[in-house]
Amino acid sequence: MTAILGISAFYHDSSAALLVDGQIVAAVQEERFSRLKNDAGYPVQSINYCLSAAGLKLSEIDHIVFYEKPFLKFERLLDTYLAFAPSGVRSFGRAIPVWIKEKLFQKSVLLKQFVQHDPDWQDKGQLKFSEHHMSHCASAFFPSPYEEAIVLSIDGVGERTTTSVAIGRGNSLEIKKEIQFPHSLGLLYSAFTEYIGFRVNYDEYKVMGLAPYGSPIFRDTILDYLIDVKDDGSFWMDQSYFNYATGFTSINGKFGDLFGEPRRAAHEPITQFHMDIARSVQAVTEDIVLRMAASLSKEFGRRNLCLAGGVAQNSVINGMLARSGNFDHVWIQPAAGDSGGSLGAALAYWHLALGQPRTQPDKSDDMQGACLGPAYTQSEIEAALSVLGADFEALPDEDLFQTVAKDISTGKVAGWFDGRMEFGARALGSRSILGDPRSETMQSKINLQVKGRESFRPFAPAVLAEHSGDWFALGQDSPYMAMVAPVAQSKLEPVAAEAQPVTGFDKLKLRRSVIPAVTHVDCSARIQTVTANMHPRFHALISAFFDETGCPMLLNTSFNGRDEPIVCTPEDAYRCFSQSGLDLLVCGNCIVRKDT
């Protein structure tokens, strides 16, 4: 037996993953245990969980692989400050002591942490280091169902690299092309995230959600001044508009002057200008990735594409890639951001360093539906709810599915806690909030009363895979809610004519389809296709809703409150239920209802 532990930590989205003889046993983010959103600390609880899932002690782990190489990142930091000197002196002065004290000697920091997991653990050279983008590429290719594929990793920056292109074949993975810092598509998107008044490395998905409310009127300005894009999708960025290389912010005053308005403060209203800015940077990002993918398809002649890295979380672009015709299949790692680096580091070591073969699955992929976190037995759930003083009813499966489906069909919102917790940013039917997609009021109800977030944020349909083609124009499965596609024409409804064109958030008031709660203002949806093989109980619930209503889908969003991670334990679920506008909580086979 060979056990490999992967670790991602110390930047954002810390995580751990464990392989035993090449099979994924467990993978989880630290935030789910610590309850700190995007927790960047050492993933002590994640490692403990992975070890317990395998029944192993740390001293029984053969290899421990960190997801990037700190020395290479430190070299890039020094090179950058030298290249931009004397700019960034203050930033340099703050960064270097931290690097010298902690990050430059990350190996010794990690080795000291390992003892807390197992007093018998001894350093015998188990600790290894992968490269950041190799970890991303490995996480994208090796769990995929493809024997060969083009692998594309795009994010902010790893050690030096911001974009990597690799070719995966069998158990080999070879980097073919790279774009280096400071030219970064991820950092371009983050710069606009900051400019619109959102948080960098936190709220980029809000820019994507805001974009359909605007027009791309600043697209040419971005292309003329900020980024020079070649026919093959490669690019160069004018650093005089940015501050991320040596400063404490992503942008400088020249950036705001270019667009005619200063950066929006978080408390200030979002205007049509900000919507147009969001649409413009989204359009530019779409154009670059689509150009890049088309060029790579032509150059390397592979018909499968695998994606990872932060930009691979842009589900609008993913859907465009799937519909582009350049590839037969597109597969996105469900933990595409840095959390997936722990899994990629472990997989890279197993296949590339140890030369172990891949075993092609007889299923869609090797990710097990991304259900790689903790699960709780029915008796454990009942015990936890009893301690919390919850009044619950336990039902057998068939009664449970029919009861919950009927409740949702009458407008109730359910917290759904079932099976192993998902790995990655999306709730896929294990830690989900569920509603009726046919309801005209459901989107605003969940946004405002349940999740306490911005009204413009869209929700996803979790649709029975066997019916997805009747409802959405995607053309392939999307099991990880990672692709946006148009709602089928047959399901759209004519929008009532208005005396004045509807702009901004007023677009939310218009009914566009027979499933308005999951139809975005551009008549698209971020789709999760659900199969009985991958998610049997969730599939059974949606099937019960289909039998009840004739609609083969549910609104699905992550089970969490505002600015908190997805729930992990029954206690987390009950607390979120109690403090939010949820109408019922379904934990395993238990139903808890609010007092009426």
Side-chain angles (χ1 to χ4, degrees):
M1 183 190 76
T2 301
I4 303 175
L5 177 69
I7 297 175
S8 171
F10 307 134
Y11 185 46
H12 58 85
D13 296 313
S14 294
S15 68
L18 184 65
L19 306 182
V20 175
D21 290 336
Q23 298 301 307
I24 305 170
V25 173
V28 66
Q29 294 113 293
E30 187 69 8
E31 66 167 20
R32 308 294 172 84
F33 300 106
S34 69
R35 312 307 301 157
L36 299 174
K37 185 79 170 176
N38 298 340
D39 192 343
Y42 175 75
V44 56
Q45 296 181 83
S46 298
I47 293 172
N48 286 338
Y49 164 70
C50 288
L51 293 171
S52 68
L56 295 172
K57 299 189 298 181
L58 191 64
S59 54
E60 297 173 302
I61 298 297
D62 299 283
H63 309 283
I64 303 172
V65 192
F66 194 70
Y67 81 122
E68 64 180 9
K69 295 186 175 180
F71 274 106
L72 292 181
K73 184 170 277 193
F74 183 65
E75 286 180 1
R76 187 255 299 171
L77 181 76
L78 291 178
D79 289 347
T80 300
Y81 280 120
L82 288 171
F84 284 85
S87 176
V89 171
R90 288 179 57 222
S91 175
F92 181 80
R94 285 177 54 176
I96 290 301
V98 175
W99 270 93
I100 292 175
K101 182 180 179 182
E102 300 175 9
K103 298 189 177 182
L104 189 57
F105 300 103
Q106 218 154 73
K107 181 175 181 179
S108 62
V109 170
L110 288 166
L111 293 176
K112 290 177 182 177
Q113 294 278 7
F114 291 158
V115 179
Q116 66 182 297
H117 302 284
D118 183 357
D120 295 327
W121 187 85
Q122 294 181 345
D123 179 16
K124 299 177 182 177
Q126 301 99 315
L127 181 58
K128 318 293 193 310
F129 293 85
S130 179
E131 290 194 14
H132 185 103
H133 274 267
M134 178 55 79
S135 296
H136 276 320
C137 288
S139 78
F141 176 63
F142 289 129
S144 80
Y146 314 138
E147 175 64 22
E148 290 188 333
I150 295 170
V151 188
L152 186 57
S153 170
I154 311 174
D155 66 3
V157 61
E159 293 88 355
R160 289 181 180 269
T161 303
T162 66
T163 302
S164 283
V165 177
I167 297 297
R169 183 186 299 107
N171 70 337
S172 69
L173 187 62
E174 183 180 358
I175 301 291
K176 295 291 188 179
K177 294 184 174 186
E178 293 182 336
I179 296 175
Q180 302 280 309
F181 185 85
H183 310 293
S184 167
L185 192 56
L187 292 177
L188 175 73
Y189 208 87
S190 292
F192 280 90
T193 301
E194 180 179 297
Y195 183 54
I196 296 171
F198 299 139
R199 294 163 293 183
V200 171
N201 289 330
Y202 198 93
D203 289 336
E204 279 77 5
Y205 59 91
K206 293 184 182 180
V207 178
M208 182 179 68
L210 189 63
Y213 295 90
S215 299
I217 60 177
F218 298 104
R219 178 183 179 277
D220 290 345
T221 302
I222 296 171
L223 292 171
D224 289 343
Y225 291 92
L226 298 184
I227 186 166
D228 178 31
V229 184
K230 304 303 181 184
D231 289 341
D232 65 355
S234 60
F235 53 86
W236 176 91
M237 292 167 59
D238 186 342
Q239 292 300 304
S240 68
Y241 292 91
F242 301 95
N243 204 34
Y244 57 73
T246 57
F248 302 119
T249 60
S250 294
I251 58 176
N252 56 32
K254 187 178 178 180
F255 188 101
D257 292 342
L258 180 64
F259 297 103
E261 289 198 17
R263 172 191 173 188
R264 183 183 77 91
H267 66 277
E268 293 176 333
I270 296 173
T271 67
Q272 188 63 49
F273 170 80
H274 302 113
M275 300 174 198
D276 293 339
I277 285 286
R279 182 68 192 97
S280 299
V281 70
Q282 176 68 24
V284 168
T285 307
E286 291 167 2
D287 180 57
I288 292 171
V289 177
L290 288 169
R291 279 200 214 184
M292 193 179 295
S295 175
L296 293 172
S297 175
K298 184 177 180 180
E299 179 178 357
F300 293 107
R302 305 300 198 281
R303 298 297 297 174
N304 299 318
L305 176 67
C306 298
L307 297 169
V311 176
Q313 296 182 112
N314 193 306
S315 50
V316 174
I317 295 175
N318 296 341
M320 289 180 167
L321 288 168
R323 301 189 305 276
S324 69
N326 291 312
F327 303 96
D328 296 330
H329 306 285
V330 176
W331 191 86
I332 300 99
Q333 164 57 237
D338 277 9
S339 61
S342 60
L343 177 60
L347 287 166
Y349 198 82
W350 173 252
H351 293 295
L352 302 179
L354 300 182
Q356 294 293 329
R358 292 171 72 204
T359 54
Q360 286 299 309
D362 57 358
K363 51 189 182 298
S364 56
D365 59 51
D366 268 341
M367 287 299 296
Q368 303 166 44
C371 298
L372 299 167
Y376 296 84
T377 65
Q378 181 65 19
S379 59
E380 288 173 332
I381 290 170
E382 292 185 11
L385 293 176
S386 297
V387 169
L388 292 166
D391 183 12
F392 62 87
E393 177 185 19
L395 298 175
D397 282 357
E398 185 174 349
D399 292 344
L400 179 82
F401 301 142
Q402 291 179 353
T403 299
V404 176
K406 190 171 186 63
D407 279 338
I408 293 174
S409 73
T410 61
K412 290 184 171 59
V413 183
W416 178 262
F417 182 102
D418 186 74
R420 295 188 74 177
M421 183 177 65
E422 303 92 340
F423 183 49
R426 308 299 186 196
L428 302 170
S430 295
R431 304 290 187 272
S432 290
I433 289 172
L434 306 174
D436 189 340
R438 306 167 303 156
S439 168
E440 294 189 33
T441 59
M442 189 57 59
Q443 180 186 13
S444 61
K445 178 179 180 178
I446 295 179
N447 269 330
L448 301 177
Q449 297 178 30
V450 178
K451 303 201 74 168
R453 67 182 199 177
E454 299 90 346
S455 62
F456 68 83
R457 302 272 294 281
F459 292 113
V463 59
L464 299 175
E466 57 268 33
H467 292 280
S468 62
D470 298 330
W471 290 78
F472 305 103
L474 179 58
Q476 72 164 72
D477 282 346
S478 176
Y480 300 115
M481 205 189 286
M483 294 182 183
V484 167
V487 176
Q489 282 290 328
S490 62
K491 307 302 180 184
L492 297 179
E493 294 185 346
V495 177
E498 299 285 341
Q500 297 292 329
V502 177
T503 60
F505 293 144
D506 286 340
K507 292 181 178 181
L508 277 169
K509 301 173 183 177
L510 301 180
R511 180 183 173 94
R512 290 175 167 78
S513 80
V514 298
I515 44 170
V518 294
T519 301
H520 209 6
V521 295
D522 59 356
C523 296
S524 71
R526 176 162 48 86
I527 302 157
Q528 178 194 1
T529 53
V530 182
T531 64
N533 181 54
M534 191 174 282
H535 294 286
R537 285 171 59 85
F538 193 40
H539 187 276
L541 174 65
I542 301 172
S543 296
F545 185 80
F546 183 34
D547 292 341
E548 179 74 27
T549 66
C551 180
M553 73 190 75
L554 289 170
L555 179 156
N556 180 17
T557 187
S558 56
F559 194 165
N560 60 278
R562 182 181 179 89
D563 287 334
E564 74 166 7
I566 294 173
V567 299
C568 178
T569 66
E571 290 83 358
D572 296 336
Y574 185 76
R575 181 171 56 252
C576 185
F577 164 73
S578 301
Q579 297 173 355
S580 72
L582 286 171
D583 298 303
L584 64 150
L585 169 65
V586 186
C587 252
N589 283 67
C590 297
I591 299 181
V592 187
R593 300 182 184 277
K594 290 274 174 69
D595 293 332
T596 56

